[in-house]
Amino acid sequence: MATDWPDKLYDQLKAAGVTQFAYVPDAGHATVIDRSLADPDVHSVALTTEEEGVALCAGAHLGGAKAVLLMQSSGSGNCINLLSLIKGGRFPFLTYVTMRGDFGEANSWQIPMGQGTQPALEAMGVTCFRAETPDEVAEITEAALSMVFQSGMSIAVLLTQRLIGAKAFG
């Protein structure tokens, strides 16, 4: 399985004009976060909690910039109330969510939010696409970039544990 998909994802986001990367530190997003931190042409913002990234993405749009929120599925629950800002203000919104609590999860504490991530995001008007393979990341990202920044939609790309691997526990 190809392991360079995170580098390709970063290149795709940057080529599409994404200049603001909001994130809560997460091993699954390490390559994209590290590349955004090293890139003098973009702003990379470490968040104390995921919902700050929702506001950052809305503010970026108001300022004429494109932003993306990088988070883990356990943090998506922190965003649910603030997604009303995205829905009410009709802001374009793009997030990449590294999944826990799905395929191969060994930590039972991760399962409830992992199983609830997609239904909760969809209840708040966010369309979810699940990437299971490296090739799907590129294909889904191309579609998501168009849907978000040309059609003004809210999209979550769920990077599944089939793609990123399940963490060992115990």
Side-chain angles (χ1 to χ4, degrees), residues 102-120:
D102 70 0
F103 188 79
E105 181 63 61
N107 181 344
S108 63
W109 288 94
Q110 292 287 346
I111 291 175
M113 192 64 230
Q115 298 297 309
T117 294
Q118 184 168 346

Side-chain angles (χ1 to χ4, degrees), residues 22-33:
Y23 67 92
V24 173
D26 175 61
H29 289 301
T31 299
V32 175
I33 291 168

Side-chain angles (χ1 to χ4, degrees), residues 30-108:
T31 299
V32 175
I33 291 168
D34 289 347
R35 288 204 49 203
S36 70
L37 288 168
D39 189 337
D41 297 327
V42 304
H43 298 282
S44 189
V45 180
L47 309 170
T48 57
T49 183
E50 292 79 1
E51 66 263 33
E52 294 172 348
V54 175
L56 185 145
C57 289
H61 176 71
L62 289 174
K66 296 177 183 175
V68 64
L69 170 59
L70 308 173
M71 65 178 163
Q72 189 183 73
S73 56
S74 59
S76 64
N78 296 336
C79 297
I80 298 307
N81 188 41
L82 203 54
L83 286 170
S84 62
L85 171 73
I86 296 298
K87 192 171 186 175
R90 300 183 184 163
F91 292 104
F93 178 69
L94 177 60
T95 185
Y96 284 79
V97 182
T98 53
M99 292 301 295
R100 296 290 310 265
D102 70 0
F103 188 79
E105 181 63 61
N107 181 344
S108 63

